[in-house]
Amino acid sequence: MNRWNRIAALLLALLCLAGCGGGGSRRLTKETAAPAEVPREIPAEDAAALAEFSLELLRRSWAGENALVSPLSVLSALGMTANGARGETLEQMEAVLGLPTERLNGVLAAWAADLPRGKDCRVELANSVWVRDDGSFEADQDFLETAAGWYKAEVFASKFDAAAVRDINSWVEKNTRGMIPEILSELRDETMMVLVNALALEAEWEEIYEDIQIRENGIFTTEDGAEQPAALMYSSEGHYLKDEGAQGFLKFYKGGRWAFAALLPDEGTALEDYLDSLTGERLHRVLAGAEETLVYAAIPKFKSEYGVELNDALKALGMTDAFDMDRADLSGLGRSELGPLFISRVLHKTSVSVDEKGTRAGAATAVLADSGADMPGTVPEVYLDRPFLYMLVDTETSLPAFIGVVTDMS
């Protein structure tokens, strides 16, 4: 019996074996208590650090057209992975993610534990770890226990064949409520572990738009002056956002905890320039400091699907060693007879639909580890009829679970 088989036998003694999907993957689920160190709230300085990562992720991923990323999904997948990083690789990951790994574990666990689960406003987050099970890889048991404990990750053992690709995609589709049907197209022979996050948000507006509030023949004007048809939904909201060079509003979902947040740059200010000027601390302050006052608002109906490989974005932010097979130290994930592990790809997909009833948004992230100021008394008007920044925000933490831009209606 080789070493991996001995480890697998030990795991099976500790874990309950169950099936996954209809493929050849085996689920190993462990009955563990939640970590006692989960904080009850997220400190403002930690929230600012995560908001900074959110902005940087969007900035580095945006190529000028509509874009949407989920910082919560990416942080969850990379946060899990960071628990297996060591040395300079870990230092770089922590610098990019914004917090030391142990602190990030606690912050993400606290956020996940407090997500809404009501009928009319529901946010579901799931994590999983998929381990190659053909004798060529030995997963680190401490890492698997950390992922299961802090991230509630399901652990699967698989041959990493075509059936495994189907199983991973089925898991993602199920945990995003069908919004992300596929995250992987193949698994390479060198891939030893896949760390996956799935996130789904389904929420009704606190006040659903009536037909009289919807202008189907509205106009959205792009930054180059082109006019595009758009269905604009008008309302009066009670929370106004004001920043240097932009203004916006919050529109709440049922329950009042989560909200659609938008920031519209001032006339003459390009969306890219405004986005470049923002810092995480400032964004968090703007969201947390919403003024309770009347604001006339308009939101276009829109749908968006977005997919991106985040390798270049994360390298540009300073996380370089993890992608370099000669420099990466992911020894805390496990050991392969084919050589040290490194991150080959970080894949991210999102989907969002905003209409008169509410919002549906889904996100999935996979980390593949291979071896080898207005005048007093006036009512502000924020009509999103030109390019704007938007977020789906947890108003308790003032953190965006999704952050994106809309630049055209085509």
Side-chain angles (χ1 to χ4, degrees), residues 18-99:
C20 167
S25 302
R26 297 178 294 117
R27 184 174 65 196
L28 309 172
T29 55
K30 185 176 181 182
E31 298 296 331
T32 56
E37 300 86 353
V38 173
R40 294 187 177 181
E41 59 183 29
I42 300 176
E45 61 184 282
D46 291 352
L50 298 190
E52 181 67 31
F53 174 77
S54 302
L55 287 170
E56 287 290 355
L57 187 66
L58 177 60
R59 279 193 283 250
R60 300 289 180 172
S61 306
W62 182 31
E65 299 179 348
N66 291 357
L68 175 68
V69 293
S70 172
L72 177 54
S73 177
V74 176
L75 283 165
S76 297
L78 287 177
M80 275 197 298
T81 308
N83 284 278
R86 301 290 183 267
E88 181 67 20
T89 301
L90 176 60
E91 291 178 14
Q92 290 180 1
M93 294 187 75
E94 291 179 333
V96 170
L97 298 177
L99 293 174

Side-chain angles (χ1 to χ4, degrees), residues 77 80 126-130 168 171-172 183 194-198 365-367:
M80 275 197 298
N127 296 300
S128 60
V129 178
W130 302 73
I168 293 173
W171 185 92
V172 167
I183 189 68
V194 183
L195 303 98
V196 188
N197 170 270
T365 306
V367 178

Side-chain angles (χ1 to χ4, degrees), residues 164-240:
V165 174
R166 291 194 297 271
D167 287 344
I168 293 173
N169 287 334
S170 294
W171 185 92
V172 167
E173 183 175 28
K174 174 186 174 184
N175 286 285
T176 60
R177 292 179 169 252
M179 287 180 276
I180 310 293
E182 178 181 294
I183 189 68
L184 293 178
S185 59
E186 63 176 353
L187 284 170
R188 303 194 312 175
D189 291 341
E190 297 83 3
T191 302
M192 298 292 131
M193 181 180 286
V194 183
L195 303 98
V196 188
N197 170 270
L199 178 63
L201 178 151
E202 293 182 307
E204 280 190 15
W205 300 122
E206 195 167 59
E207 295 184 3
I208 294 175
Y209 292 94
E210 303 292 339
D211 291 345
I212 196 172
Q213 296 174 280
I214 303 171
R215 186 182 300 171
E216 295 288 350
N217 60 347
I219 296 295
F220 183 92
T221 305
T222 65
E223 286 190 342
D224 62 7
E227 294 186 347
Q228 300 175 333
L232 293 172
M233 304 181 293
Y234 290 83
S235 62
S236 298
E237 302 301 335
H239 288 76
Y240 177 60

Side-chain angles (χ1 to χ4, degrees), residues 129-150:
V129 178
W130 302 73
V131 179
R132 179 178 286 273
D133 182 19
D134 63 359
S136 64
F137 179 64
E138 180 183 308
D140 185 274
Q141 186 179 347
D142 289 339
F143 169 77
L144 295 181
E145 291 178 353
T146 298
W150 282 109

Side-chain angles (χ1 to χ4, degrees), residues 257-309:
R257 169 69 182 268
W258 283 64
F260 179 96
L263 286 167
L264 182 70
D266 293 344
E267 290 277 5
T269 300
L271 177 58
E272 183 176 8
D273 292 340
Y274 172 67
L275 190 58
D276 285 343
S277 76
L278 267 179
T279 65
E281 188 277 334
R282 200 172 100 209
L283 176 62
H284 183 253
R285 186 174 67 244
V286 169
L287 293 172
E291 180 186 354
E292 292 189 32
T293 189
L294 179 64
V295 51
Y296 297 142
I299 302 174
K301 291 185 187 180
F302 67 94
K303 294 181 180 180
S304 178
E305 293 184 352
Y306 186 69
V308 63
E309 182 176 291

